[in-house]
Amino acid sequence: MTIALKTRLGAGPILLAPGVYDPLTASLATDAVAEAIYLSGASIAYTRLGRPDIGLVSMSEVADTILLIRDRVATPLIVDADNGYGNALNMQRTVRLFERAGANALQIEDQSYPKRCGHLAEKRLVSPAEMAGKVRAAVDARASAGTLVIARTDAIAVEGFQ
């Protein structure tokens, strides 16, 4: 029986979640005894589209990838949900879809739409109030409190450390 991701995160030590992009890499990580795996939007853009992560991967493509991974492994899955693919209503739809597909946690970010990979230049952020609304929308949309919402900011890359 696998331990719930929420419980594991609270237990320590630091959880390493190798990045995956399809059922094969998810299987390899699971066979290497990964306690959790991370599905990156950039990895899908690179491997499925052969393109940089500049907002080309759709919510449906990520959901399809989650389903394929879930068909192969039961390892807790953290999914890059980008910026929810739009506003707070889009965020709710994304959370419901990804959770039904098998995501255990969704990482959301504060970039405007369309978004760019956190490592690329020319990112734009939404306001802190809009991001707080998206976080509330994501939490409210979950079917299970066991599905985690992880908020991430690209503020340092856009506005600097100060």
Side-chain angles (χ1 to χ4, degrees):
M1 181 168 87
T2 59
I3 189 167
L5 183 59
K6 186 175 184 177
T7 302
R8 172 56 184 89
L9 287 170
I14 292 173
L15 176 66
L16 300 177
V20 301
Y21 53 87
D22 66 3
L24 175 61
T25 55
S27 179
L28 292 170
T30 298
D31 289 349
V33 196
E35 294 181 77
I37 52 179
Y38 179 79
L39 177 60
S40 158
S43 69
I44 296 171
Y46 301 147
T47 60
R48 191 168 183 173
L49 305 178
R51 304 278 183 192
D53 185 19
I54 54 172
L56 299 175
V57 175
S58 71
M59 173 178 49
S60 297
E61 289 170 315
V62 176
D64 289 344
T65 305
I66 296 167
L67 286 167
L68 290 169
I69 289 171
R70 264 301 160 242
D71 190 47
R72 186 66 181 94
V73 302
T75 308
L77 181 59
I78 304 164
V79 177
D80 179 359
D82 286 343
N83 55 12
Y85 305 93
N87 62 23
L89 293 174
N90 297 97
M91 179 63 74
Q92 288 182 324
R93 183 169 179 246
T94 299
V95 168
R96 287 195 286 275
L97 180 62
F98 287 9
E99 184 179 35
R100 279 194 313 269
N104 300 101
L106 286 81
Q107 175 191 287
I108 60 175
E109 60 195 39
D110 60 351
Q111 284 193 40
S112 62
Y113 190 82
K115 54 90 55 193
R116 297 177 64 81
C117 179
H119 303 294
L120 299 176
E122 300 177 26
K123 294 176 289 296
R124 293 186 325 261
L125 306 179
V126 297
S127 71
E130 183 176 345
M131 183 58 177
K134 283 184 168 189
V135 171
R136 279 191 300 276
V139 169
D140 290 346
R142 299 178 302 176
S144 167
T147 301
L148 305 180
V149 175
I150 303 166
R152 185 192 101 199
T153 183
D154 282 310
I156 194 167
V158 175
E159 298 181 5
F161 188 74
Q162 296 302 340

